[in-house]
Amino acid sequence: AVDIAVWDAIGKREQVPVAALLSPDSRKRFDVYLSGVRRATLEERVDHVNWWIDTGLRGAKIFLTGDVGAGVTELDGLMAGAPGLEQWMVDTLWMCSHESAEVGKVEYGKRAVRFFECPLQPEDLAGHQELVKKPGAPIALGEHFRSRYQMAAWVQQPRALDVYQPDIGRTRFTDYMSQKEIAAKAGIPTTPHMGSG
């Protein structure tokens, strides 16, 4: 919190947004995605996604369990009901077994999801390293790391992820910049994660 507050104070002193302090060529606009499609029935979830599409939304992430069969049924239903959405992402919140994660990676890959987030337990470095080697959807994770010391092994060979997602609420801005550089040197794209945690 202190690190984030210091960056904010410097931005106020310099009369620029923190983004301009972090990067001289910071974007003025960027795409966002809907995180969660929380409605009681599939029909209501489809209607909800279509409402968002009408506002200009291009992507949505859905939260599924480690039950890949149920997950594929849900994703297929949403994709069929909202064909105008360009990008789908899947997050299983660390609930897959090694076996179900492999099946999910393949099945979600067949459906061209942008990424398959947090498939295995967050401490399972070896399991993620093996999973990344398998065919299918790209693996995204990183929200659970607080420092560059925790994440470095995950982006080195053999890497354990394809998309790095540090959560600035945990990393703070200063360490986020270090983590982003470590991931970039390993050829791994970074997208900030903005969870409520």
Side-chain angles (χ1 to χ4, degrees):
V2 172
D3 181 88
I4 292 169
V6 168
W7 278 94
D8 185 56
I10 293 169
K12 286 184 170 139
R13 182 191 70 197
E14 300 299 318
Q15 297 183 348
V16 297
V18 172
L21 298 173
L22 298 173
S23 172
D25 300 319
S26 60
R27 295 182 189 182
K28 304 300 181 230
R29 295 176 54 93
F30 54 91
D31 294 328
V32 297
Y33 59 82
L34 179 64
S35 184
V37 184
R38 296 170 178 91
R39 295 293 183 270
T41 67
L42 177 61
E43 182 180 1
E44 290 171 330
R45 291 190 291 276
V46 165
D47 288 344
H48 187 62
V49 171
N50 283 312
W51 181 88
W52 277 104
I53 291 171
D54 290 341
T55 70
L57 186 76
R58 295 172 48 205
K61 179 171 74 173
I62 59 173
F63 294 91
L64 302 173
T65 68
D67 180 343
V68 175
V72 165
T73 299
E74 174 72 9
L75 180 58
D76 285 347
L78 289 168
M79 292 176 93
L85 196 70
E86 295 175 24
Q87 299 175 8
W88 289 95
M89 288 132 294
V90 168
D91 188 340
T92 56
L93 299 168
W94 306 291
M95 288 192 267
C96 290
S97 66
H98 289 164
E99 295 76 20
S100 67
E102 287 185 26
V103 173
K105 189 173 194 309
V106 169
E107 291 301 321
Y108 301 137
K110 287 178 185 174
R111 288 153 179 84
V113 300
R114 178 104 186 239
F115 56 71
F116 177 16
E117 184 176 341
C118 297
L120 302 172
Q121 288 295 301
E123 301 82 11
D124 190 356
L125 173 61
H128 282 94
Q129 287 170 329
E130 285 303 311
L131 185 59
V132 164
K133 295 176 190 174
K134 307 289 184 186
I139 300 300
L141 56 87
E143 68 189 83
H144 59 291
F145 296 123
R146 294 189 179 275
S147 77
R148 60 188 171 273
Y149 305 110
Q150 291 175 299
M151 62 79 68
W154 291 69
V155 299
Q156 296 166 1
Q157 292 297 330
R159 74 177 197 281
L161 53 97
D162 299 299
V163 178
Y164 186 51
Q165 298 177 306
D167 194 308
I168 292 177
R170 293 182 177 95
T171 65
R172 58 201 171 25
F173 285 119
T174 302
D175 209 72
Y176 161 76
M177 295 302 287
S178 296
Q179 291 182 39
K180 183 177 179 229
E181 186 176 328
I182 291 167
K185 285 181 180 174
I188 296 174
T190 295
T191 181
H193 181 279
M194 297 294 165
S196 60

